[in-house]
């Protein structure tokens, strides 16, 4: 399952927002029924994880965490505790709790961005600013994808 592209929407006063139809179709085709919402650990945005993706991620973190490593357990606890189950209503909307909207600086203008196997939820202006700042994108991708580094030549 891979989400690509971006789409704008508006959150209503209760925090309900239509998940883009293209993203709903991908979820339906993949047989995903559950969604998990969490603040991103790096950016001021939210991340929607299909339940299967979330479960694999939490399993991966858990496997790397020794049960007697205090810091590792604390990180796992904070990561999981900062999440919330979401569901689509019959109209294709999700309800984003107020505390998450506030954490992402979202009032009513929302931008959904497909990010591989997750969906990011941004304040639209913050997303515009982030996406407009791509002057060094080519250089960064060149460094990251350098064929000599990739192939070990």
């Amino acid at each position: 399952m891979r989400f690509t592209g971006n789409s704008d929407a508006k959150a209503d006063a209760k925090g309900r927002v239509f998940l883009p139809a293209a993203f709903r179709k991908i979820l339906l085709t993949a047989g995903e029924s559950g969604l998990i919402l969490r603040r991103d650990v790096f950016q001021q945005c939210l991340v929607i994880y299909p339940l299967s993706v979330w479960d694999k991620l939490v399993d991966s973190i858990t496997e790397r965490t020794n049960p007697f490593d205090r810091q590792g357990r604390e990180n796992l606890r904070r990561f999981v505790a900062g999440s919330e189950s979401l569901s689509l209503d019959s109209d294709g909307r999700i309800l984003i709790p107020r505390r998450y909207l506030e954490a992402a600086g979202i009032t009513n203008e929302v931008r959904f961005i497909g990010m591989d196997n997750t969906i990011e939820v941004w304040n639209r202006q913050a997303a515009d600013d982030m996406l407009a700042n791509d002057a060094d994108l080519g250089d960064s991708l060149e460094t990251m994808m350098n064929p000599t580094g990739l192939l070990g030549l």
Side-chain angles (χ1 to χ4, degrees), residues 1-4 20-32 116:
M1 155 178 32
R2 181 156 291 142
F3 301 98
T4 58
F23 294 166
R24 290 195 314 264
K25 183 177 179 183
I26 292 168
L27 290 167
L28 180 64
T29 301
E32 291 286 346
D116 190 29

Side-chain angles (χ1 to χ4, degrees), residues 3-151:
F3 301 98
T4 58
N6 66 84
S7 181
D8 293 338
K10 291 185 187 263
D12 69 14
K14 294 181 181 180
R16 294 176 301 197
V17 62
F18 286 98
L19 193 65
F23 294 166
R24 290 195 314 264
K25 183 177 179 183
I26 292 168
L27 290 167
L28 180 64
T29 301
E32 291 286 346
S33 57
L35 301 172
I36 302 294
L37 179 71
R38 188 181 194 302
R39 289 185 342 201
D40 187 74
V41 295
F42 298 110
Q43 298 287 334
Q44 188 180 0
C45 70
L46 307 174
V47 181
I48 298 173
Y49 298 86
L51 188 56
S52 66
V53 173
W54 175 259
D55 286 345
K56 287 178 188 174
L57 178 60
V58 172
D59 287 347
S60 178
I61 295 169
T62 302
E63 289 169 6
R64 289 175 171 82
T65 304
N66 180 324
F68 299 103
D69 173 7
R70 184 176 307 182
Q71 185 64 48
R73 295 298 290 178
E74 180 65 22
N75 289 339
L76 174 62
R77 182 177 300 110
R78 291 186 316 172
F79 186 77
V80 173
S83 65
E84 177 107 10
S85 292
L86 293 180
S87 59
L88 287 168
D89 69 13
S90 59
D91 294 324
R93 297 176 300 185
I94 54 174
L95 173 63
I96 302 174
R98 180 76 35 216
R99 68 183 178 279
Y100 288 95
L101 293 171
E102 290 172 359
I106 297 170
T107 52
N108 71 338
E109 298 287 329
V110 176
R111 166 87 39 89
F112 289 97
I113 298 176
M115 187 65 176
D116 190 29
N117 59 2
T118 64
I119 303 165
E120 293 182 343
V121 185
W122 287 76
N123 166 296
R124 192 183 67 159
Q125 185 60 54
D128 284 346
D129 295 345
M130 181 268 304
L131 292 172
N133 187 16
D134 67 352
D136 64 342
L137 179 61
D139 293 339
S140 293
L141 288 172
E142 179 181 33
T143 301
M144 189 170 85
M145 301 302 291
N146 182 338
T148 58
L150 203 66
L151 300 175

